[in-house]
Amino acid sequence: MGRAGALTEAEKRAIWGWRAEGLKLSDIATRADRSRNAVKRFLDQPDATPGYVGNQNARKFTGPAQTRVLNKLRAAPRSPLKALTMQVNTGRSQSKPVSRETVRRNMADDLSFRRAIVRQPLSRENRLRRVAFAMQNLNKIEEHRKVIFTDEKKFNLDGPDGYSGQWVRTGEFPDRVRRHTGGGSVMFWMAISSAGKMALLKTPARITSENYVAMLESSRVATIVSETHPEGWTFMQDNAPAHVARNTKSFFAREGWHVMDWPAYSPDLNPVENVWSIMSRRMYAGNRQYESLSELEAEIMEVWASITNAEVGSLVTGWNARLHRCVNMEGANVQNV
């Protein structure tokens, strides 16, 4: 339970800032040391009288009524308030039906619309393979230090992938826009290890086996990695078509690269994903957008330069803990930092 009393102006500014960063209501309440309801009342009614808590005797949903509304919204997310009110009053024994205003208020207090979590669906076989992989590599700390983790990511002019909105005060409009036409993006490939940053390379928008192999050859990745890991190293990549094509496998065999057998649908096990997240937060801080691809690319390289080898090394050091979580969660998706 958080502190009681009206929110101060400093607390209000902090709450708006945390909400703009995309924090969940419960996390904001924890940071502010306030109750979840107090934070929600302020975000819903920022101009309300300080300390206002509404009518404590207002009618509330019963459990079954809320379930009926929730089922209706899941089946038809844009159901009108009239239809939802009929759902609430279905089967009620009271002579006085619940009003639309009561339904609207209860929905605002108890229900919220959230985007689905973006994760790969995992079958039972996928989960078993992930557990087997984690068990095979668990607690092999010395071998972990030799792994070169890699991954690709697309960066957009308008913001990170999945951007669809922005929290604003009631009556205001987002200060961030999507181009109707003319947007653009660039693709980059990253390699990291326990020693820190290995490489960040621009790739074609569509990665094929031919241009993937050409990139690895021309960038002298093997030379750079060998100099950093003279005791030997293991190359990690996901199972993208270009990575597992016959031509790519021939290149690895010809060059003598030891490639890790990575489980399908497992980006959550790759510490490179955390580095991408750090870069995205810094690049798009303050709702920043970019006017040209050259400006975007320059910022990518600048942010990459600002990340220290110590930061990257700590993420790779935490890989063993991530494998532990995978085993404990029976192969379910492991939440990234």
Side-chain angles (χ1 to χ4, degrees), residues 201-260:
L201 305 171
K202 184 181 177 183
T203 72
R206 179 176 177 272
I207 299 178
T208 65
S209 174
E210 289 71 22
N211 58 40
Y212 182 58
V213 169
M215 178 194 71
L216 294 177
E217 288 181 316
S218 63
S219 61
R220 298 176 59 252
V221 170
T223 302
I224 296 171
V225 172
S226 296
E227 291 173 353
T228 311
H229 298 272
E231 73 286 358
W233 46 278
T234 299
F235 188 75
M236 172 269 149
Q237 60 176 5
D238 61 25
N239 297 290
H243 298 171
V244 296
R246 183 180 303 175
N247 176 64
T248 306
K249 290 182 177 179
S250 297
F251 165 76
F252 291 141
R254 184 172 66 252
E255 298 297 323
W257 289 26
H258 178 219
V259 181
M260 178 177 286

Side-chain angles (χ1 to χ4, degrees), residues 152-293:
E152 294 96 1
K153 180 178 176 59
K154 181 177 69 172
F155 290 93
N156 303 308
L157 291 173
D158 293 333
D161 282 344
Y163 162 73
S164 62
Q166 177 186 347
W167 285 97
V168 296
R169 286 184 173 87
T170 302
E172 294 182 353
F173 293 95
D175 56 15
R176 190 174 188 174
V177 298
R178 283 279 193 190
R179 292 170 176 81
H180 183 64
T181 59
S185 62
V186 291
M187 185 81 76
F188 275 80
W189 178 87
M190 179 193 296
I192 64 171
S193 75
S194 60
K197 302 182 292 185
M198 295 290 104
L200 183 68
L201 305 171
K202 184 181 177 183
T203 72
R206 179 176 177 272
I207 299 178
T208 65
S209 174
E210 289 71 22
N211 58 40
Y212 182 58
V213 169
M215 178 194 71
L216 294 177
E217 288 181 316
S218 63
S219 61
R220 298 176 59 252
V221 170
T223 302
I224 296 171
V225 172
S226 296
E227 291 173 353
T228 311
H229 298 272
E231 73 286 358
W233 46 278
T234 299
F235 188 75
M236 172 269 149
Q237 60 176 5
D238 61 25
N239 297 290
H243 298 171
V244 296
R246 183 180 303 175
N247 176 64
T248 306
K249 290 182 177 179
S250 297
F251 165 76
F252 291 141
R254 184 172 66 252
E255 298 297 323
W257 289 26
H258 178 219
V259 181
M260 178 177 286
D261 186 16
W262 190 258
Y265 304 119
S266 299
D268 56 312
L269 298 182
N270 188 352
V272 173
E273 294 292 334
N274 300 87
V275 184
W276 290 137
S277 296
I278 292 171
M279 292 184 66
S280 291
R281 286 196 296 269
R282 295 182 185 180
M283 287 176 56
Y284 299 110
N287 300 320
R288 181 176 179 182
Q289 294 176 286
Y290 298 88
E291 295 298 323
S292 66
L293 294 179

Side-chain angles (χ1 to χ4, degrees), residues 31-320:
R31 289 195 181 189
D33 192 23
R34 292 286 188 169
S35 71
R36 186 179 183 277
N37 285 339
V39 173
K40 188 176 189 306
R41 281 195 301 271
F42 167 67
L43 291 172
D44 289 343
Q45 294 180 303
D47 298 323
T49 303
Y52 172 76
V53 296
N55 181 3
Q56 298 301 299
N57 297 317
R59 302 177 73 181
K60 295 288 289 182
F61 276 164
T62 61
Q66 187 182 93
T67 300
R68 287 195 297 272
V69 170
L70 190 57
N71 290 338
K72 179 71 173 179
L73 288 171
R74 285 174 174 171
R78 296 185 180 276
S79 297
L81 192 57
K82 179 179 179 181
L84 295 174
T85 305
M86 292 176 62
Q87 288 287 330
V88 173
N89 287 313
T90 299
R92 291 180 65 89
S93 58
Q94 295 93 327
S95 57
K96 184 178 180 181
V98 172
S99 68
R100 295 188 192 183
E101 176 57 27
T102 297
V103 173
R104 185 203 63 75
R105 186 186 65 251
N106 278 265
M107 286 176 62
D109 290 344
D110 301 326
L111 302 176
S112 60
F113 182 82
R114 295 184 176 180
R115 290 178 295 176
I117 298 174
V118 180
R119 288 177 179 167
Q120 292 285 1
L122 292 172
S123 66
R124 182 175 181 274
E125 290 73 19
N126 290 142
R127 293 178 64 159
L128 290 174
R129 291 191 187 100
R130 283 162 55 88
V131 170
F133 170 82
M135 292 292 292
Q136 181 183 357
N137 292 279
L138 203 58
N139 299 326
K140 298 181 178 179
I141 306 303
E142 288 303 317
E143 294 185 20
H144 295 179
R145 294 193 178 102
K146 301 177 183 179
V147 179
I148 310 302
F149 295 94
T150 72
D151 190 34
E152 294 96 1
K153 180 178 176 59
K154 181 177 69 172
F155 290 93
N156 303 308
L157 291 173
D158 293 333
D161 282 344
Y163 162 73
S164 62
Q166 177 186 347
W167 285 97
V168 296
R169 286 184 173 87
T170 302
E172 294 182 353
F173 293 95
D175 56 15
R176 190 174 188 174
V177 298
R178 283 279 193 190
R179 292 170 176 81
H180 183 64
T181 59
S185 62
V186 291
M187 185 81 76
F188 275 80
W189 178 87
M190 179 193 296
I192 64 171
S193 75
S194 60
K197 302 182 292 185
M198 295 290 104
L200 183 68
L201 305 171
K202 184 181 177 183
T203 72
R206 179 176 177 272
I207 299 178
T208 65
S209 174
E210 289 71 22
N211 58 40
Y212 182 58
V213 169
M215 178 194 71
L216 294 177
E217 288 181 316
S218 63
S219 61
R220 298 176 59 252
V221 170
T223 302
I224 296 171
V225 172
S226 296
E227 291 173 353
T228 311
H229 298 272
E231 73 286 358
W233 46 278
T234 299
F235 188 75
M236 172 269 149
Q237 60 176 5
D238 61 25
N239 297 290
H243 298 171
V244 296
R246 183 180 303 175
N247 176 64
T248 306
K249 290 182 177 179
S250 297
F251 165 76
F252 291 141
R254 184 172 66 252
E255 298 297 323
W257 289 26
H258 178 219
V259 181
M260 178 177 286
D261 186 16
W262 190 258
Y265 304 119
S266 299
D268 56 312
L269 298 182
N270 188 352
V272 173
E273 294 292 334
N274 300 87
V275 184
W276 290 137
S277 296
I278 292 171
M279 292 184 66
S280 291
R281 286 196 296 269
R282 295 182 185 180
M283 287 176 56
Y284 299 110
N287 300 320
R288 181 176 179 182
Q289 294 176 286
Y290 298 88
E291 295 298 323
S292 66
L293 294 179
S294 59
E295 180 189 7
L296 176 61
E297 291 175 24
E299 183 65 15
I300 290 171
M301 299 310 298
E302 183 174 337
V303 170
W304 169 251
S306 72
I307 297 175
T308 66
N309 286 330
E311 287 180 279
V312 173
S314 66
L315 292 173
V316 177
T317 302
W319 192 50
N320 198 59

